[in-house]
Amino acid sequence: MEIIKSIDSTFAEDVVKGLSSNPKHIPSKYLYDEKGDRLFKAIMRIPEYYLTNSELEILKIYKEEILNAFTSTSEEFLLVDLGAGDGLKTKILLDLLIKKNIRFHYLPVDFSPTALEKLCSELSYSMPGLKVKGIADDYYKAILKLSKEKTKKIYMILGSNIGNMQEQEINEFLSFLGQNMENQDKLFIGFDLKKDPDILLKAYDDSQGLTRSFNFNLLERLNYELGGNFNIKDFKHFPTYDPQTGEMRSYLISKKKQTIALAALDITIEFKQWEFIHVETSKKFDIASIKKLAEGNKFKINYIFNDSRNYFLNTIWSLNH
Ligand code: AVI
Protein backbone atom coordinates (compact mmCIF):
# COMPACT_ATOMS: atom_id res chain seq x y z
CA MET A 1 0.00 0.00 0.00
CA GLU A 2 1.34 3.41 -0.92
CA ILE A 3 -0.14 6.80 -0.02
CA ILE A 4 1.22 10.10 -1.25
CA LYS A 5 0.34 12.94 1.15
CA SER A 6 0.75 16.63 0.42
CA ILE A 7 -1.97 18.71 2.03
CA ASP A 8 -1.23 22.29 3.11
CA SER A 9 -2.44 23.16 6.56
CA THR A 10 -4.75 25.98 5.44
CA PHE A 11 -7.65 25.00 7.71
CA ALA A 12 -7.13 27.82 10.23
CA GLU A 13 -6.67 30.43 7.48
CA ASP A 14 -9.82 29.32 5.64
CA VAL A 15 -11.83 29.32 8.88
CA VAL A 16 -10.73 32.84 9.84
CA LYS A 17 -11.41 34.11 6.32
CA GLY A 18 -14.82 32.40 6.12
CA LEU A 19 -16.03 33.45 9.58
CA SER A 20 -14.90 37.06 9.04
CA SER A 21 -16.84 37.29 5.77
CA ASN A 22 -20.40 38.39 5.30
CA PRO A 23 -22.20 35.99 4.87
CA LYS A 24 -20.16 33.59 7.03
CA HIS A 25 -19.09 30.35 5.39
CA ILE A 26 -16.64 27.46 5.79
CA PRO A 27 -15.57 25.29 2.81
CA SER A 28 -17.40 21.95 2.92
CA LYS A 29 -14.17 19.97 2.48
CA TYR A 30 -13.55 20.60 6.21
CA LEU A 31 -16.58 18.48 7.12
CA TYR A 32 -14.36 15.44 6.55
CA ASP A 33 -12.17 14.88 9.59
CA GLU A 34 -12.08 11.40 11.10
CA LYS A 35 -15.53 11.70 12.69
CA GLY A 36 -16.90 13.40 9.58
CA ASP A 37 -15.65 10.52 7.40
CA ARG A 38 -17.39 8.04 9.69
CA LEU A 39 -20.65 10.01 9.67
CA PHE A 40 -20.62 10.43 5.90
CA LYS A 41 -20.07 6.69 5.49
CA ALA A 42 -23.12 6.10 7.71
CA ILE A 43 -25.18 8.67 5.75
CA MET A 44 -24.38 6.84 2.49
CA ARG A 45 -25.99 3.70 3.88
CA ILE A 46 -29.40 5.16 4.82
CA PRO A 47 -32.21 4.92 2.23
CA GLU A 48 -33.24 8.57 2.77
CA TYR A 49 -29.83 9.52 1.30
CA TYR A 50 -30.99 7.96 -1.98
CA LEU A 51 -27.90 9.06 -3.98
CA THR A 52 -25.82 6.01 -3.05
CA ASN A 53 -28.47 3.42 -3.92
CA SER A 54 -29.30 5.15 -7.21
CA GLU A 55 -25.68 5.22 -8.32
CA LEU A 56 -25.07 1.66 -7.08
CA GLU A 57 -28.04 0.51 -9.18
CA ILE A 58 -26.54 2.16 -12.29
CA LEU A 59 -23.11 0.63 -11.67
CA LYS A 60 -24.53 -2.86 -11.06
CA ILE A 61 -26.75 -2.83 -14.15
CA TYR A 62 -24.41 -1.10 -16.62
CA LYS A 63 -20.94 -2.14 -15.37
CA GLU A 64 -20.12 -4.07 -18.60
CA GLU A 65 -21.18 -1.15 -20.82
CA ILE A 66 -19.27 1.28 -18.62
CA LEU A 67 -16.04 -0.70 -18.83
CA ASN A 68 -16.44 -1.16 -22.59
CA ALA A 69 -16.80 2.61 -22.91
CA PHE A 70 -13.60 3.15 -20.88
CA THR A 71 -11.44 1.20 -23.32
CA SER A 72 -11.76 -1.01 -26.37
CA THR A 73 -8.11 -2.10 -26.44
CA SER A 74 -5.90 -4.13 -24.11
CA GLU A 75 -3.66 -1.14 -23.36
CA GLU A 76 -3.04 -0.41 -19.68
CA PHE A 77 -4.80 2.56 -18.06
CA LEU A 78 -4.95 4.51 -14.80
CA LEU A 79 -8.32 4.63 -13.06
CA VAL A 80 -8.24 7.94 -11.19
CA ASP A 81 -11.01 8.13 -8.57
CA LEU A 82 -11.40 11.80 -7.59
CA GLY A 83 -13.03 11.93 -4.13
CA ALA A 84 -12.89 8.16 -3.65
CA GLY A 85 -14.19 8.16 -0.03
CA ASP A 86 -14.70 4.55 1.06
CA GLY A 87 -14.77 3.27 -2.54
CA LEU A 88 -18.15 1.57 -2.00
CA LYS A 89 -19.30 2.16 -5.59
CA THR A 90 -15.95 1.91 -7.33
CA LYS A 91 -15.51 -1.63 -5.97
CA ILE A 92 -18.18 -2.86 -8.40
CA LEU A 93 -16.00 -1.73 -11.32
CA LEU A 94 -12.73 -2.87 -9.69
CA ASP A 95 -14.19 -6.32 -9.19
CA LEU A 96 -15.19 -6.66 -12.84
CA LEU A 97 -11.89 -5.22 -14.12
CA ILE A 98 -10.00 -7.83 -12.08
CA LYS A 99 -12.29 -10.67 -13.23
CA LYS A 100 -11.72 -9.64 -16.86
CA ASN A 101 -7.94 -9.50 -16.37
CA ILE A 102 -7.83 -5.91 -17.60
CA ARG A 103 -4.50 -4.16 -17.02
CA PHE A 104 -4.99 -1.06 -14.88
CA HIS A 105 -3.78 0.81 -11.78
CA TYR A 106 -6.31 2.20 -9.32
CA LEU A 107 -5.45 5.72 -8.05
CA PRO A 108 -7.96 6.91 -5.43
CA VAL A 109 -7.62 10.66 -4.74
CA ASP A 110 -9.11 12.08 -1.57
CA PHE A 111 -8.59 15.21 0.51
CA SER A 112 -9.00 13.08 3.65
CA PRO A 113 -5.81 11.03 4.38
CA THR A 114 -7.70 8.96 6.99
CA ALA A 115 -10.39 7.89 4.52
CA LEU A 116 -7.71 7.09 1.95
CA GLU A 117 -5.57 5.05 4.34
CA LYS A 118 -8.61 3.02 5.36
CA LEU A 119 -9.60 2.44 1.73
CA CYS A 120 -6.11 1.39 0.60
CA SER A 121 -5.53 -1.02 3.47
CA GLU A 122 -9.02 -2.49 3.06
CA LEU A 123 -8.44 -2.97 -0.69
CA SER A 124 -5.03 -4.58 -0.25
CA TYR A 125 -6.81 -7.13 1.96
CA SER A 126 -10.04 -7.68 -0.05
CA MET A 127 -8.54 -7.37 -3.58
CA PRO A 128 -4.96 -8.63 -3.17
CA GLY A 129 -4.13 -8.52 -6.91
CA LEU A 130 -5.13 -4.84 -7.24
CA LYS A 131 -2.41 -2.29 -8.00
CA VAL A 132 -3.46 0.67 -5.86
CA LYS A 133 -1.76 3.97 -4.97
CA GLY A 134 -3.66 6.53 -2.87
CA ILE A 135 -3.16 10.25 -3.51
CA ALA A 136 -4.06 12.46 -0.50
CA ASP A 137 -4.37 15.77 -2.27
CA ASP A 138 -6.81 18.20 -3.82
CA TYR A 139 -8.15 17.40 -7.28
CA TYR A 140 -6.16 20.13 -9.07
CA LYS A 141 -2.75 19.08 -7.74
CA ALA A 142 -3.49 15.41 -8.39
CA ILE A 143 -4.62 16.08 -11.99
CA LEU A 144 -1.57 18.24 -12.69
CA LYS A 145 0.77 15.50 -11.41
CA LEU A 146 -1.02 12.81 -13.39
CA SER A 147 -1.06 14.86 -16.62
CA LYS A 148 2.71 14.24 -16.83
CA GLU A 149 2.09 10.48 -17.15
CA LYS A 150 1.76 9.14 -20.70
CA THR A 151 -0.55 6.23 -19.74
CA LYS A 152 -4.23 6.58 -20.69
CA LYS A 153 -6.35 7.90 -17.83
CA ILE A 154 -9.98 7.37 -16.87
CA TYR A 155 -11.00 10.09 -14.42
CA MET A 156 -14.00 9.32 -12.20
CA ILE A 157 -16.06 11.69 -10.07
CA LEU A 158 -18.84 9.67 -8.51
CA GLY A 159 -21.48 10.47 -5.88
CA SER A 160 -22.31 13.87 -7.43
CA ASN A 161 -19.16 15.20 -5.71
CA ILE A 162 -19.03 17.83 -8.46
CA GLY A 163 -22.24 19.31 -6.97
CA ASN A 164 -20.32 20.37 -3.85
CA MET A 165 -18.61 23.06 -5.96
CA GLN A 166 -20.21 26.41 -6.80
CA GLU A 167 -21.30 26.92 -10.45
CA GLN A 168 -18.21 28.96 -11.36
CA GLU A 169 -15.87 26.48 -9.63
CA ILE A 170 -17.47 23.59 -11.56
CA ASN A 171 -16.69 25.34 -14.86
CA GLU A 172 -13.15 26.24 -13.75
CA PHE A 173 -12.54 22.67 -12.65
CA LEU A 174 -13.90 21.05 -15.84
CA SER A 175 -11.98 23.44 -18.04
CA PHE A 176 -8.76 22.70 -16.06
CA LEU A 177 -9.38 18.96 -16.31
CA GLY A 178 -10.00 19.20 -20.07
CA GLN A 179 -6.76 21.13 -20.56
CA ASN A 180 -4.87 18.40 -18.72
CA MET A 181 -6.49 15.46 -20.54
CA GLU A 182 -5.39 13.75 -23.76
CA ASN A 183 -7.74 12.68 -26.55
CA GLN A 184 -7.61 9.05 -25.38
CA ASP A 185 -8.62 9.94 -21.78
CA LYS A 186 -12.20 9.79 -20.47
CA LEU A 187 -14.22 11.31 -17.66
CA PHE A 188 -16.81 9.15 -15.85
CA ILE A 189 -18.96 11.58 -13.86
CA GLY A 190 -22.13 11.25 -11.75
CA PHE A 191 -24.82 13.91 -11.29
CA ASP A 192 -27.66 14.02 -8.80
CA LEU A 193 -30.81 15.20 -10.57
CA LYS A 194 -33.42 17.81 -9.63
CA LYS A 195 -36.42 16.10 -8.03
CA ASP A 196 -39.30 16.47 -5.55
CA PRO A 197 -37.99 18.92 -2.89
CA ASP A 198 -39.48 16.72 -0.13
CA ILE A 199 -37.14 13.89 -1.15
CA LEU A 200 -34.19 16.27 -1.26
CA LEU A 201 -34.94 17.82 2.13
CA LYS A 202 -35.17 14.37 3.78
CA ALA A 203 -31.85 13.34 2.20
CA TYR A 204 -30.15 16.31 3.89
CA ASP A 205 -32.12 16.17 7.17
CA ASP A 206 -32.53 12.43 7.75
CA SER A 207 -34.71 10.97 10.51
CA GLN A 208 -31.71 9.47 12.36
CA GLY A 209 -30.09 12.92 12.62
CA LEU A 210 -26.88 11.72 10.93
CA THR A 211 -26.63 14.69 8.54
CA ARG A 212 -27.33 17.04 11.42
CA SER A 213 -24.42 15.48 13.40
CA PHE A 214 -22.25 15.57 10.25
CA ASN A 215 -22.75 19.34 9.93
CA PHE A 216 -22.44 20.03 13.68
CA ASN A 217 -19.19 18.09 13.69
CA LEU A 218 -17.68 21.09 11.91
CA LEU A 219 -18.30 23.22 15.03
CA GLU A 220 -16.90 20.41 17.21
CA ARG A 221 -13.83 20.38 14.97
CA LEU A 222 -13.42 24.15 15.49
CA ASN A 223 -13.66 23.54 19.24
CA TYR A 224 -11.01 20.83 19.51
CA GLU A 225 -8.65 21.92 16.74
CA LEU A 226 -8.82 25.70 17.17
CA GLY A 227 -9.80 25.99 20.85
CA GLY A 228 -13.33 27.17 20.02
CA ASN A 229 -16.19 27.45 22.52
CA PHE A 230 -19.16 26.75 20.23
CA ASN A 231 -22.15 25.30 22.04
CA ILE A 232 -24.04 23.18 19.53
CA LYS A 233 -27.33 23.77 21.37
CA ASP A 234 -27.07 27.45 20.41
CA PHE A 235 -27.15 26.59 16.68
CA LYS A 236 -29.73 25.09 14.33
CA HIS A 237 -29.04 22.78 11.37
CA PHE A 238 -31.04 24.15 8.42
CA PRO A 239 -30.96 22.60 4.92
CA THR A 240 -32.86 24.37 2.15
CA TYR A 241 -33.48 23.79 -1.57
CA ASP A 242 -33.66 26.39 -4.34
CA PRO A 243 -35.54 24.83 -7.29
CA GLN A 244 -34.30 27.55 -9.66
CA THR A 245 -30.56 26.98 -9.23
CA GLY A 246 -30.92 23.35 -8.09
CA GLU A 247 -28.82 24.19 -5.03
CA MET A 248 -29.41 22.27 -1.84
CA ARG A 249 -27.68 24.42 0.79
CA SER A 250 -26.93 23.59 4.44
CA TYR A 251 -26.63 26.28 7.09
CA LEU A 252 -25.82 26.35 10.80
CA ILE A 253 -27.87 29.22 12.24
CA SER A 254 -27.06 30.97 15.52
CA LYS A 255 -30.18 30.96 17.71
CA LYS A 256 -28.90 33.94 19.73
CA LYS A 257 -26.51 36.88 19.67
CA GLN A 258 -23.19 35.48 20.88
CA THR A 259 -19.42 35.90 20.86
CA ILE A 260 -17.37 32.83 20.03
CA ALA A 261 -13.68 32.61 20.91
CA LEU A 262 -11.16 30.62 18.88
CA ALA A 263 -8.47 30.53 21.59
CA ALA A 264 -5.77 28.87 19.46
CA LEU A 265 -6.00 31.75 16.98
CA ASP A 266 -6.55 34.45 19.60
CA ILE A 267 -9.65 35.79 17.87
CA THR A 268 -13.35 36.20 18.61
CA ILE A 269 -16.24 35.95 16.17
CA GLU A 270 -19.50 37.86 16.68
CA PHE A 271 -22.81 36.26 15.74
CA LYS A 272 -26.05 38.26 15.49
CA GLN A 273 -29.21 36.38 16.40
CA TRP A 274 -30.21 34.19 13.38
CA GLU A 275 -26.94 34.84 11.60
CA PHE A 276 -25.73 31.72 9.77
CA ILE A 277 -22.65 29.83 8.58
CA HIS A 278 -23.07 28.34 5.10
CA VAL A 279 -21.41 24.92 5.36
CA GLU A 280 -22.31 23.10 2.15
CA THR A 281 -23.86 23.38 -1.31
CA SER A 282 -25.00 20.15 -3.00
CA LYS A 283 -26.12 21.16 -6.47
CA LYS A 284 -28.78 19.17 -8.36
CA PHE A 285 -28.74 19.10 -12.15
CA ASP A 286 -30.95 18.45 -15.18
CA ILE A 287 -29.90 17.06 -18.53
CA ALA A 288 -29.79 20.52 -20.14
CA SER A 289 -27.45 21.87 -17.45
CA ILE A 290 -25.18 18.79 -17.75
CA LYS A 291 -24.97 19.22 -21.56
CA LYS A 292 -24.17 22.90 -21.10
CA LEU A 293 -21.34 22.06 -18.67
CA ALA A 294 -19.89 19.51 -21.09
CA GLU A 295 -20.17 21.64 -24.23
CA GLY A 296 -19.11 24.86 -22.48
CA ASN A 297 -15.90 23.18 -21.36
CA LYS A 298 -15.03 21.51 -24.70
CA PHE A 299 -16.22 17.99 -23.84
CA LYS A 300 -18.71 15.72 -25.59
CA ILE A 301 -20.97 13.30 -23.74
CA ASN A 302 -20.44 9.77 -25.08
CA TYR A 303 -22.82 7.83 -22.81
CA ILE A 304 -25.62 8.53 -20.32
CA PHE A 305 -26.83 5.92 -17.80
CA ASN A 306 -29.78 6.49 -15.46
CA ASP A 307 -31.36 4.61 -12.53
CA SER A 308 -34.93 3.29 -12.57
CA ARG A 309 -36.31 6.21 -10.50
CA ASN A 310 -34.55 8.82 -12.65
CA TYR A 311 -32.89 10.27 -9.55
CA PHE A 312 -29.28 10.12 -10.77
CA LEU A 313 -27.20 10.08 -13.97
CA ASN A 314 -23.75 8.69 -14.68
CA THR A 315 -22.17 9.98 -17.87
CA ILE A 316 -18.98 9.30 -19.84
CA TRP A 317 -17.27 12.27 -21.47
CA SER A 318 -14.32 12.72 -23.82
CA LEU A 319 -12.63 15.80 -25.28
CA ASN A 320 -14.44 17.49 -28.15
CA HIS A 321 -11.65 18.74 -30.38
C1 AVI B 1 -20.02 14.15 -0.91
N1 AVI B 1 -21.23 14.87 -1.31
C2 AVI B 1 -21.59 14.58 -2.70
C3 AVI B 1 -22.37 14.71 -0.38
C4 AVI B 1 -23.57 15.53 -0.89
O1 AVI B 1 -24.64 14.95 -1.05
O2 AVI B 1 -23.42 16.72 -1.13
C5 AVI B 1 -22.02 15.16 1.02
C6 AVI B 1 -23.20 15.15 1.97
N2 AVI B 1 -23.63 16.17 2.64
C7 AVI B 1 -24.69 15.85 3.36
N3 AVI B 1 -24.97 14.57 3.10
C8 AVI B 1 -24.03 14.12 2.25
Side-chain angles (χ1 to χ4, degrees):
M1 177 189 36
E2 192 187 340
I3 296 189
I4 304 170
K5 278 187 208 170
S6 68
I7 291 177
D8 306 337
S9 176
T10 49
F11 176 54
E13 267 170 47
D14 286 349
V15 167
V16 173
K17 200 170 145 211
L19 292 184
S20 321
S21 310
N22 188 11
K24 292 181 171 45
H25 60 91
I26 297 181
S28 62
K29 63 183 177 187
Y30 295 121
L31 289 164
Y32 303 90
D33 64 349
E34 208 170 338
K35 184 172 172 194
D37 287 339
R38 244 186 300 124
L39 283 165
F40 180 51
K41 209 168 157 177
I43 291 170
M44 285 202 295
R45 279 152 179 84
I46 50 171
E48 280 166 309
Y49 190 72
Y50 60 85
L51 286 84
T52 316
N53 282 340
S54 298
E55 199 172 31
L56 275 173
E57 180 192 325
I58 296 174
L59 290 169
K60 282 180 189 157
I61 294 180
Y62 298 107
K63 58 188 175 198
E64 291 275 355
E65 287 87 341
I66 293 168
L67 292 195
N68 288 339
F70 283 176
T71 185
S72 54
T73 67
S74 60
E75 88 187 285
E76 192 170 42
F77 64 84
L78 306 177
L79 188 62
V80 186
D81 194 356
L82 299 169
D86 71 350
L88 176 72
K89 290 157 276 182
T90 317
K91 281 180 200 156
I92 297 171
L93 298 180
L94 296 179
D95 203 46
L96 187 61
L97 282 161
I98 292 171
K99 271 197 194 114
K100 288 178 158 252
N101 273 320
I102 293 174
R103 291 190 306 133
F104 75 106
H105 287 251
Y106 177 53
L107 307 181
V109 178
D110 206 292
F111 187 70
S112 164
T114 14
L116 207 54
E117 264 158 40
K118 272 190 200 138
L119 173 65
C120 291
S121 62
E122 198 268 304
L123 284 175
S124 57
Y125 174 74
S126 61
M127 296 183 173
L130 182 72
K131 290 177 197 146
V132 53
K133 183 161 88 177
I135 305 175
D137 219 332
D138 71 38
Y139 294 177
Y140 283 86
K141 289 191 194 134
I143 291 164
L144 205 57
K145 258 185 234 160
L146 290 166
S147 67
K148 316 249 161 26
E149 303 245 4
K150 287 276 164 289
T151 318
K152 172 180 173 132
K153 282 163 269 317
I154 311 292
Y155 287 99
M156 299 203 297
I157 308 175
L158 301 184
S160 205
N161 282 350
I162 193 87
N164 291 137
M165 297 181 193
Q166 307 295 326
E167 182 83 23
Q168 195 192 335
E169 275 180 86
I170 298 180
N171 281 302
E172 278 167 14
F173 169 73
L174 289 172
S175 147
F176 176 83
L177 178 62
Q179 283 161 29
N180 285 285
M181 273 170 67
E182 300 293 331
N183 285 336
Q184 57 175 358
D185 299 342
K186 303 253 186 267
L187 171 63
F188 181 47
I189 179 165
F191 294 96
D192 192 19
L193 295 176
K194 288 183 177 175
K195 57 183 63 64
D196 183 340
D198 290 341
I199 297 170
L200 288 167
L201 288 166
K202 277 192 196 125
Y204 290 86
D205 199 7
D206 60 275
S207 49
Q208 294 179 42
L210 289 171
T211 312
R212 192 176 171 278
S213 305
F214 176 64
N215 287 342
F216 275 134
N217 179 51
L218 190 57
L219 300 188
E220 286 171 15
R221 186 174 178 186
L222 297 182
N223 284 351
Y224 73 76
E225 282 190 38
L226 303 178
N229 64 344
F230 282 97
N231 186 346
I232 278 158
K233 290 196 185 75
D234 294 333
F235 286 83
K236 191 181 164 70
H237 160 63
F238 182 72
T240 177
Y241 176 64
D242 177 346
Q244 192 175 345
T245 61
E247 282 179 357
M248 182 78 219
R249 283 191 293 270
S250 290
Y251 298 100
L252 294 173
I253 307 181
S254 176
K255 292 183 196 166
K256 60 177 198 185
K257 175 177 162 29
Q258 53 183 319
T259 304
I260 299 292
L262 293 174
L265 306 176
D266 210 14
I267 58 162
T268 55
I269 308 285
E270 300 295 331
F271 281 88
K272 296 185 199 87
Q273 191 180 26
W274 307 122
E275 190 176 356
F276 61 83
I277 312 175
H278 175 207
V279 293
E280 187 178 55
T281 297
S282 303
K283 190 175 162 62
K284 310 305 165 192
F285 300 83
D286 53 32
I287 190 68
S289 60
I290 297 170
K291 281 190 178 147
K292 199 169 150 208
L293 281 179
E295 283 158 18
N297 291 292
K298 303 198 175 72
F299 282 95
K300 57 176 177 255
I301 302 179
N302 308 123
Y303 295 90
I304 299 179
F305 304 99
N306 63 291
D307 66 312
S308 54
R309 294 181 293 186
N310 253 316
Y311 280 4
F312 203 92
L313 286 186
N314 283 97
T315 58
I316 299 184
W317 300 12
S318 56
L319 293 177
N320 190 20
H321 54 71

